[in-house]
Amino acid sequence: MRIAIIGGAGTLGRHITAELAKRGHDARVLGRSSAAFPVDLRTGAGLDAALADCSAVVDASNSQRRPRQVLVDGSSRLLAAEQRAGVRHHVCISIVGCDHVPLGYYRVKTEQERVVTRGQVPWTIVRATQFHELAASVFAATARYRVLLAGRLPIQPVAAAEVASAVAAAAETDPAERRIQVAGPEVSSLGDLARTWRSATGQSAVLVPVPLPGRVGRELRAGGLTTSQADVVGRVTFADWLAASRAAEG
Ligand SMILES: NC(=O)c1ccc[n+]([C@@H]2O[C@H](COP(=O)([O-])OP(=O)(O)OC[C@H]3O[C@@H](n4cnc5c(N)ncnc54)[C@H](OP(=O)(O)O)[C@@H]3O)[C@@H](O)[C@H]2O)c1
């Protein structure tokens, strides 16, 4: 199958691209910086040409700076282009608990899901928990100031590569028209993850509990970012993933 991956060079997207290629598909990487298939979800530029002859589209795009433009308005533009191109399956990547935790970015993800479920293209939504890659990059960023965000916030991180396998399996089969949940193998506190990161990297940093005020705090403390009902449970723990990525770095 020819499958387009929007954001196919991103943190998750590059694993999806590799996994689809490994399964024998023609994985077409789309994004603003794609040399062969440049597209911009903020304007729709490039989409018609890039989607020609694609049977399925995986939307692994992301934007922290302009999330609504890229993820919500961008999904509308993308779905319209998919209809014109005759694409038969749209796979959207979302986040476990996004409809419960009232954070701005999560509201946008919930709206993105709504655009997809109300659209004309048959769909599958794959909701994942936070990636090990995200946790590690947040710890690395704050460790520069000798602090690590910590506290009792329950989190169930998963390796992006394991999410990618579930996404690839969804993309190569018929649209599920439902949400598939992918979660990590264990629920830890943010503080435990911070200690794991600190001992794996040998960095010295002070653990600082994240304040969790109001309704957001209540939802997060109650496990809003975790699930006991995942369809796919990853096997790679944060400690395993850190050890493997540090070994790969040499
Ligand atoms: N990170 C996590 O822990 C996590 C957890 C659960 C779910 N998710 C979801 O997984 C998805 C992917 O996240 P990620 O962390 O892998 O993202 P990422 O590493 O930031 O990659 C985002 C990709 O989107 C592309 N992109 C950005 N703006 C674009 C635009 N205007 N038009 C076209 N492409 C654009 C970028 O490519 P160019 O720069 O080439 O355009 C990039 O390859 C998101 O939907 C996110 O909500 C993430």
Side-chain angles (χ1 to χ4, degrees):
M1 285 170 74
R2 177 167 291 149
I3 302 177
I5 307 105
I6 324 279
T11 308
L12 175 63
R14 78 174 75 107
H15 289 288
I16 298 172
T17 303
E19 182 66 30
L20 285 170
K22 201 170 89 185
R23 290 168 183 242
H25 299 294
D26 176 0
R28 185 179 274 186
V29 174
L30 280 55
R32 290 166 306 173
S33 52
S34 167
F37 298 101
V39 301
D40 191 340
L41 289 171
R42 289 173 307 181
T43 60
L47 284 174
D48 285 329
L51 296 184
D53 303 321
C54 291
S55 342
V57 168
V58 176
D59 184 3
S61 67
N62 203 5
S63 174
Q64 296 296 334
R65 287 174 60 197
R66 295 194 173 77
R68 189 172 303 277
Q69 273 182 41
V70 174
L71 301 175
V72 180
D73 304 340
S75 285
S76 298
R77 288 184 196 100
L78 179 56
L79 289 166
E82 288 176 21
Q83 259 195 295
R84 290 193 292 275
V87 170
R88 296 189 296 273
H89 188 183
H90 177 90
V91 182
C92 167
I93 316 299
S94 193
I95 305 175
V96 165
C98 64
D99 49 344
H100 289 296
V101 179
L103 286 168
Y105 176 74
Y106 284 17
R107 287 204 176 99
V108 169
K109 292 298 293 181
T110 305
E111 276 184 58
Q112 180 187 17
E113 287 193 356
R114 203 171 296 131
V115 169
V116 171
T117 58
R118 290 181 180 172
Q120 299 299 312
V121 180
W123 56 275
T124 304
I125 292 174
V126 179
R127 281 185 169 187
T129 53
Q130 287 60 48
F131 305 154
H132 293 324
E133 286 82 348
L134 175 68
S137 74
V138 170
F139 291 139
T142 62
R144 284 192 221 117
Y145 307 99
R146 302 257 177 262
V147 294
L148 292 179
L149 300 180
R152 284 184 295 150
L153 163 65
I155 182 163
Q156 192 176 0
V158 63
E162 293 191 304
V163 178
S165 296
V167 172
E172 68 185 2
T173 47
D174 289 340
E177 302 269 337
R178 74 177 185 95
R179 292 166 177 78
I180 294 170
Q181 301 209 91
V182 186
E186 55 191 19
V187 177
S188 310
S189 69
L190 188 61
D192 285 343
L193 292 181
R195 276 183 279 276
T196 300
W197 186 88
R198 191 170 57 179
S199 80
T201 59
Q203 299 226 20
S204 58
V206 177
L207 270 53
V208 178
V210 187
L212 298 172
R215 205 178 130 220
V216 171
R218 271 199 302 284
E219 293 288 348
L220 291 175
R221 276 192 301 275
L225 299 180
T226 69
T227 179
S228 57
Q229 289 170 349
D231 299 276
V232 178
V233 179
R235 291 160 177 248
V236 181
T237 65
F238 186 54
D240 293 340
W241 179 87
L242 273 174
S245 51
R246 291 181 66 74
E249 281 163 15

